[in-house]
Amino acid sequence: MSTFRLALVGFGNIGSGLVKHIIEKKDLLAQRAGVPIELTWIADKEFEKPRGVTPPTSAKLTTNWREAVTAANVDAVVELVGVGADGKPTLAADIARAALSAGKHFITANKGLIAAHGGELHELAAKNGVLLLFEASVGAGIPIISSLQTGLAPDRITAIHGIVNGTCNYILTQLDSDSSLTMQKAIADAQALGYAEPDPRFDVEGNDTAYKLVILASLAFGQELSVDDVSLDGITKLGPEEGAYAKANGLAVKLLASAAQLADGSASLVVGPAFIPATHVLAGVRDVFNAVLVEADPIGQTMYFGRGAGQGSTGSGLLADAIFAAKLQKAGSPDPQPLRIPRGMRKPADPNAVEHRFYIRVRTEGDSAKADQAAALIGGRKIGPGGATQAFLVERISLSALDKLLGKLSAAGFPDGAICKVRFALGTT
Ligand code: HSE
């Protein structure tokens, strides 16, 4: 093998960053991989739009992804097409199946793809003697996937807590430092900076975080978990009230992804806004930065931190995978795949068995009868004098009881969009 040859499918913002990285760090990459890394194909829907980088002359351009993916002069396919408008990774899954079946290593940043098809694709990769690699799918270039697969391989992982959506963390940081800023303006800023998904609802409603948590927990707990197993909430209902409550009580508000393996081996997965101590190390993770805290036995706590989105970080994650594949291919390793997502093994926790302390705020429009009605339904302790909204503390409630409570509030005329709930986590319970 004289070069390690890549086909890139998807020449957008992240793809063009990857091409720049390959050109600018050519010598370093060759030294680290043991062979030069060469781009032999680039596939995209069109090549008219300026990308800010000229593809190297080694790369043939095509609008037919199958031609690139199955070409003889390709060792690995890098897929960066994302998910469709319906949020489903249909095209990415077709590309992955075609690449792996053609005996090409498959490298992706696509969390939607791995969260939905990780088990199937790992099986297909193993059958074809190639690698499925997805470091950039969680935390961009932060080496959390390889840490779970290799560095933490001797340890039993019991819990994971992560801030894994750069857009939401950026928005929450902006709102925290400027209380006059609106959520809409903060989202528009995150889009302009290139952090947000094409449809930013996937960020702010928590789906992107849920995909990433599913990938981490599936690897960590040896199960093929699904987004359907995640108790999911986003940041759209947070308001200045939560910021004020956090400040007054020495807390910070984060979109927190938490996974825990319960005593019976089942996995509890929760994504949603959380109050954490302002002094906790995760509270200091600001702007687009991500961090994942892993609790494992016997190593204890370890933490992984860095830029969780953007060209530079994602390109780094993708090329770390390319270097890993190139080295193993060069060594002729017969069974190179590290820790896999095992197909069909899935044990989500019983939502009756998972309890948290919650803050719940409802809109009462200053109507004291409505506030009394909410108090009777929620049964928690009132916080503050009320006004247009009223917040309550609910000491312990199971996730299933919480769902039922939200249903009752909605039936009583409190619209879902106006109910804000925040979990207490990381020592605030
Ligand atoms: N929209 C994602 C984020 C991109 O903001 O984290 C990286 O997965």
Side-chain angles (χ1 to χ4, degrees), residues 111 164-167 195-197 203 208 212 308-309:
K111 53 259 161 171
V164 289
N165 184 272
T167 301
Y195 302 151
E197 297 299 307
D203 294 299
D208 175 86
K212 291 167 177 170

Side-chain angles (χ1 to χ4, degrees), residues 87-374:
K88 296 203 163 52
T90 314
L91 172 61
D94 285 346
I95 296 169
R97 291 185 192 112
L100 295 169
S101 304
K104 318 291 186 190
H105 304 296
F106 183 75
I107 298 169
T108 182
N110 197 328
K111 53 259 161 171
L113 174 69
I114 299 302
H117 299 284
E120 173 210 331
L121 297 178
H122 260 146
E123 211 170 74
L124 188 59
K127 195 170 137 208
N128 289 283
V130 286
L131 293 160
L132 170 69
L133 296 164
F134 45 92
E135 184 62 76
S137 66
V138 182
I142 305 168
I144 178 63
I145 301 293
S146 57
S147 296
L148 291 175
Q149 288 181 317
T150 57
L152 294 173
D155 294 270
R156 181 176 176 273
I157 296 167
T158 49
I160 297 175
H161 295 284
I163 294 170
V164 289
N165 184 272
T167 301
C168 287
N169 207 41
Y170 174 82
I171 291 170
L172 293 177
T173 309
Q174 295 301 307
L175 293 175
D176 182 47
S177 29
D178 178 359
S179 54
S180 68
L181 198 67
T182 62
M183 179 75 77
Q184 282 69 24
K185 169 79 173 73
I187 293 174
D189 290 350
Q191 277 181 304
L193 287 163
Y195 302 151
E197 297 299 307
D199 180 347
R201 282 178 303 178
F202 285 108
D203 294 299
V204 295
E205 287 173 5
N207 311 70
D208 175 86
T209 301
Y211 290 141
K212 291 167 177 170
L213 184 65
V214 163
I215 296 171
L216 296 178
S218 295
L219 284 174
F221 305 149
Q223 300 191 30
E224 188 183 22
L225 294 158
S226 142
V227 280
D228 297 338
D229 303 327
V230 181
S231 162
L232 174 62
D233 193 11
I235 63 168
T236 53
K237 294 164 203 153
L238 290 172
E241 295 89 343
E242 284 65 52
Y245 180 80
K247 277 205 174 77
N249 290 280
L251 303 168
V253 188
K254 292 290 179 191
L255 179 64
L256 193 70
S258 298
Q261 193 166 33
L262 308 188
D264 64 356
S266 64
S268 147
L269 307 183
V270 184
V271 167
F275 287 128
I276 65 174
T279 50
H280 193 281
V281 65
L282 285 176
V285 178
R286 296 172 69 81
D287 297 314
V288 72
F289 285 93
N290 283 192
V292 180
L293 179 69
V294 180
E295 293 173 13
D297 180 39
I299 190 171
Q301 292 190 331
T302 57
M303 190 160 125
Y304 310 84
F305 167 85
R307 283 185 186 275
Q311 278 188 342
S313 182
T314 312
S316 180
L318 295 164
L319 286 166
D321 282 346
I323 289 170
F324 180 77
K327 283 177 98 77
L328 284 173
Q329 181 159 310
K330 192 156 177 265
S333 176
D335 182 16
Q337 184 72 59
L339 202 59
R340 294 189 191 129
I341 296 174
R343 198 166 184 192
M345 289 177 54
R346 171 171 168 241
K347 197 173 174 192
D350 174 359
N352 288 303
V354 182
E355 290 188 338
H356 293 280
R357 184 175 172 227
F358 271 93
Y359 158 111
I360 300 175
R361 180 173 57 81
V362 294
R363 199 175 292 156
T364 57
E365 314 298 355
D367 178 342
S368 64
K370 269 194 106 65
D372 291 345
Q373 191 186 14

